[in-house]
Amino acid sequence: MPGLPDAGFLDERGLNRQHVFNLAALPADLLAPLAPTAHERQLILFGHAGRRLWECVQAEGLTSAHPIDEYSLRTVEHWLRRNLPETQARFVFPNTPGHQRIGLQRLGQLAGWHHPAPFMLGVDAKWGSWFAYRAAILTDTNLPASAIEDLGHPCPACTDKPCISACPGKALEGGRFDMAACHQHRLADQSPCALGCLARQACPVGAKHRYEDSQIQHSAAGSLAWIRAHART
Ligand code: SF4
Ligand code: SF4
């Protein structure tokens, strides 16, 4: 099954997961918030898995508030210029007003990447939870649609479920994620998971792909700032 043209360029720069969807094959409710225009036929989803992307971001010494987004946008733009210079492409994630309306986990599920972990992130049998969505563009291309890449769901066979017992906020008990309990615990003084989810780090799957501490702390600081800004007092 052919992948994206020059996929090695993206792989080398840490955007090592890519999936091409035909818009006509996507569920209407997933597509509607993206408001595709008549000439837009495909959605290309870019993700990273493992440590390479953060190495690249650090190597460039980016100091902006959102260095991963900035790097991902620039890398995809570079790839487009190299390989599809005539293509009309519109970023729908990140960096667009309302991008939070894009169903990234649903796209990940359709791509085969996403299986739900108790701590609300996606997980698979190879990368564990150490992957994420980095960019999505709508294009006027006619590239071959990607095959589903399903690396397996490790949770059903995980009998001990160490992620659940590692959560000091008891947010994963009872078979559902208690977001309020999680946020409350992260906001507490001296919270051990303010700058990194202990449940996520307790999962043994894909441990060799675990992000560097500096990446974990960078991402957690962003989500903690969001929780602080939106917390009701
Ligand atoms: S520790 Fe087990 S149940 Fe928890 S995310 Fe990892 S594989 Fe799934
Ligand atoms: S951030 Fe803390 S409270 Fe929230 S799920 Fe992870 S370990 Fe539990």
Side-chain angles (χ1 to χ4, degrees), residues 36-219:
T37 60
H39 72 274
E40 290 171 338
R41 286 190 290 267
Q42 295 191 307
L43 184 150
I44 309 178
L45 180 65
F46 302 86
H48 89 269
R51 301 178 172 198
R52 179 67 186 149
L53 178 113
W54 186 244
E55 290 170 1
C56 295
V57 169
Q58 287 184 304
E60 296 207 354
L62 295 179
T63 55
S64 73
H66 303 289
I68 296 179
D69 286 352
E70 184 186 305
Y71 172 85
S72 300
L73 283 164
R74 200 152 33 78
T75 301
V76 171
E77 283 169 349
H78 191 174
W79 171 79
L80 282 165
R81 280 197 305 278
R82 274 170 63 105
N83 297 286
L84 301 167
E86 306 300 323
T87 289
Q88 292 188 48
R90 174 166 66 98
F91 280 89
V92 290
F93 177 78
N95 203 27
T96 51
H99 73 249
Q100 69 277 7
R101 294 161 65 202
I102 296 172
L104 290 171
Q105 286 196 345
R106 279 186 71 197
L107 285 172
Q109 214 161 20
L110 292 167
W113 304 353
H114 176 90
H115 305 285
F119 42 87
M120 284 288 280
L121 294 177
V123 64
D124 72 31
K126 176 179 177 182
W127 300 104
S129 69
W130 305 110
F131 66 91
Y133 310 95
R134 300 274 56 121
I137 54 176
L138 294 182
T139 64
D140 59 356
T141 47
N142 273 313
L143 296 165
S146 301
I148 290 171
E149 184 200 26
D150 188 343
L151 300 175
H153 189 186
C155 299
C158 175
T159 49
D160 291 345
K161 301 204 179 332
C163 59
I164 294 177
S165 52
C167 172
K170 303 196 182 313
L172 313 183
E173 296 180 353
R176 55 177 286 279
F177 181 68
D178 186 339
M179 189 169 299
C182 172
H183 288 184
Q184 189 178 21
H185 198 80
R186 291 191 67 197
L187 290 171
D189 284 346
Q190 309 296 323
S191 171
C193 50
L195 292 180
C197 174
L198 299 185
R200 184 181 194 183
Q201 293 175 64
C203 175
V205 181
K208 70 179 181 183
H209 302 297
R210 177 185 182 276
Y211 302 160
E212 280 183 28
D213 287 347
S214 58
Q215 182 175 4
I216 291 173
Q217 289 163 11
H218 169 81
S219 300

